[in-house]
Amino acid sequence: MIWDFEFTFDVMPSLLGGLWVTVQLTLIGYTIALVLGLLIAIVRRAPVIGAIVHFVMEFIRTTPLIIQVVFVFFLLPASLNVPLLGPVPITAFTVGVTVLGIHYAAYTAEVYRSGIEGVAQGQWEAARALSLPTGRTWGAVVLPQAIRKVIPALGNYLIAMFKDTPLLFAIGVAELLTRAQRVGSESFRMTEAMTMVGFLFLVVSIPSAILIRRLEKRYVAV
C-alpha cells in the first residue's frame, strides 16, 4: 500500500484534536492520582481506617482499568441534581478522567508509602523532640524527603497513564486512538491513521521521559 500524504495532512487536524483530549485526560488524571495518592498514603498509617483503605486500593489495583471505567460509566446516571445549579450532565470525559485518576492513585499511594517509610526514624524522633505540630512534621520534615526519593516512580506512572488513555474508547471518549479508528474505518486507510497515532504518542512520551530523567538527576541525587 502506497502512503497517501494528502490523506495524512487532511486527517491531521482531527488527530491533533484527539491528542489534545488525550493530553487533557493525562494531566487532569495525573493530578488526581498525585493528590489522592498522597492522601491515601498518609491515611493508611492510621490503624483501622488504614486497613480499610488498603483493602479498597488493593481491589482497584487488581482489577482491569477498562472494566472499572465501563462499570462506573454505566452505573452512574446521565446527570446529577446539584443545588443551585440544577441537573449537571455526567460526561464520558468526566467519568474517564476520574476513574483514571483514582485507578492510578492506588499505585501512587504505594509509591508515596515507600518514600515515607524510607525517611529515617531519627527524623520523626527529632520532630517529636522539637514538639513540632503534626502538620509541620509532615510538611517540613517527612514529605520533602519522601517525595524527592520517589520522583522517578511517579514519573513513570505519568507515561503509563498517557499510554492507558486509549482504554477510554470503551465509553466513547474521543481521544487520539478513537479518532484514528473512526478516520481509518471511514476511509479504509488504517495504515496512515494508526502510524500517525504511534508517531504522536512518541512526540509526547519522549520529551516527557527526558523531563522526568532531568528531574530525577536534579532532585533524587541531592
Side-chain angles (χ1 to χ4, degrees):
M1 180 181 293
I2 300 177
W3 184 275
D4 190 335
F5 286 96
E6 182 178 356
F7 170 78
T8 303
F9 287 118
D10 288 342
V11 301
M12 187 58 69
S14 177
L15 297 181
L16 290 176
L19 178 63
W20 171 236
V21 173
T22 298
V23 171
Q24 287 180 298
L25 288 167
T26 304
L27 294 179
I28 299 174
Y30 190 64
T31 301
I32 294 173
L34 288 181
V35 176
L36 184 58
L38 180 58
L39 294 176
I40 292 170
I42 295 174
V43 170
R44 276 197 56 185
R45 298 179 65 86
V48 179
I49 299 178
I52 298 174
V53 171
H54 174 67
F55 172 79
V56 174
M57 291 301 102
E58 284 299 310
F59 176 80
I60 292 175
R61 289 204 305 162
T62 53
T63 52
L65 173 59
I66 190 169
I67 293 178
Q68 295 172 10
V69 169
V70 173
F71 180 80
V72 173
F73 180 72
F74 288 104
L75 178 67
L76 292 177
S79 62
L80 290 176
N81 287 320
V82 179
L84 302 179
L85 296 178
V88 176
I90 301 177
T91 64
F93 182 94
T94 303
V95 173
V97 74
T98 303
V99 174
L100 195 65
I102 294 175
H103 180 85
Y104 271 89
Y107 292 94
T108 58
E110 287 298 306
V111 174
Y112 284 126
R113 182 184 63 81
S114 66
I116 292 171
E117 292 181 352
V119 175
Q121 187 63 30
Q123 299 291 319
W124 295 90
E125 295 173 354
R128 285 194 294 269
L130 294 172
S131 300
L132 292 181
T134 302
R136 182 69 174 171
T137 299
W138 280 98
V141 179
V142 177
L143 293 182
Q145 299 180 66
I147 293 176
R148 188 173 63 226
K149 296 177 180 179
V150 299
I151 287 177
L154 293 176
N156 289 336
Y157 283 123
L158 171 63
I159 298 175
M161 181 182 290
F162 178 66
K163 294 188 295 183
D164 273 350
T165 53
L167 294 177
L168 301 184
F169 82 94
I171 58 174
V173 179
E175 41 73 51
L176 179 56
L177 182 60
T178 301
R179 296 201 183 193
Q181 288 177 327
R182 291 176 182 174
V183 167
S185 60
E186 292 173 357
S187 61
F188 301 102
R189 301 197 69 89
M190 278 291 185
T191 301
E192 288 89 342
M194 291 304 170
T195 301
M196 293 310 300
V197 167
F199 173 75
L200 292 174
F201 266 95
L202 288 175
V203 166
V204 177
S205 296
I206 292 177
S208 300
I210 294 173
L211 176 61
I212 292 168
R213 183 62 60 84
R214 289 184 177 178
L215 289 175
E216 177 183 350
K217 290 181 178 179
R218 179 174 182 178
Y219 293 106
V220 178
V222 175

